[in-house]
Amino acid sequence: MNRIVIAGLGAVAALAVTVPVVAQNYNRNPAFGTFRLGAGFSPDPYSINVRAGGTRNAAQLGSACAGSIADAPDVRIQYQAGSFPLSFTVRSNSDTTLVINDPNGRWYCDDDSAGNLDPLVRFNQPSSGQYDVWIGHYEGGSGVRARLDVSEY
């Protein structure tokens, strides 16, 4: 099966490449939980503590993806969209990356768009549904502490 990989820079529409998905299994249970958020959720940002990384090379998803990630998602967000944009940001003392499979089956990746080696993926017109999120890093393994922030700002 082919999926679309899009570089997640700001409006998440910078680069589209069709590649086979070979590593990530969005059908597995997420390591750090499933969360339901609806338009206007509070607190905003909604923060989830995770351990970033894994044994898979995110570049297998396309050249816009980087770092080592797990096979299963780290976090699953069930989101009911409204008229707000939806942003995913990772904060960490290490260099982290972000991979997201959106409700339409498209893949989005980012490395440093939030500054300070932190990734950011923003959906200006998000769809309702399941967002599977992988948080990667460059150090190998899965011991890097990180925080995923989900926001409508």
Side-chain angles (χ1 to χ4, degrees):
M1 176 190 327
N2 286 338
R3 297 280 185 157
I4 296 175
V5 176
I6 299 176
L9 302 174
V12 296
L15 171 69
V17 180
T18 302
V19 297
V21 174
V22 295
Q24 291 357 98
N25 187 344
Y26 51 85
N27 293 314
R28 293 190 58 196
N29 289 328
F32 298 95
T34 298
F35 303 88
R36 296 188 182 282
L37 299 175
F41 61 83
S42 181
D44 188 346
Y46 190 86
S47 299
I48 304 156
N49 291 319
V50 301
R51 293 256 180 212
T55 60
R56 304 281 187 174
N57 183 349
Q60 293 177 346
L61 295 169
S63 61
C65 302
S68 62
I69 57 177
D71 182 36
D74 291 308
V75 173
R76 178 168 293 139
I77 302 294
Q78 297 288 352
Y79 180 67
Q80 182 61 46
S83 59
F84 304 110
L86 183 65
S87 297
F88 296 82
T89 307
V90 177
R91 303 291 182 203
S92 177
N93 290 330
S94 296
D95 189 1
T96 55
T97 64
L98 190 55
V99 175
I100 299 177
N101 184 263
D102 81 356
N104 300 309
R106 291 184 296 249
W107 293 88
Y108 297 86
C109 298
D110 187 69
D111 187 359
D112 297 330
S113 292
N116 297 322
L117 303 178
D118 292 330
L120 164 69
V121 174
R122 178 183 171 98
F123 298 89
N124 288 326
Q125 296 177 327
S127 298
S128 293
Q130 180 172 304
Y131 291 80
D132 288 306
V133 180
W134 287 260
I135 297 135
H137 69 86
Y138 289 102
E139 297 170 20
S142 57
V144 173
R145 295 173 62 185
R147 185 184 77 221
L148 173 68
D149 288 340
V150 183
S151 178
E152 292 181 316
Y153 291 107

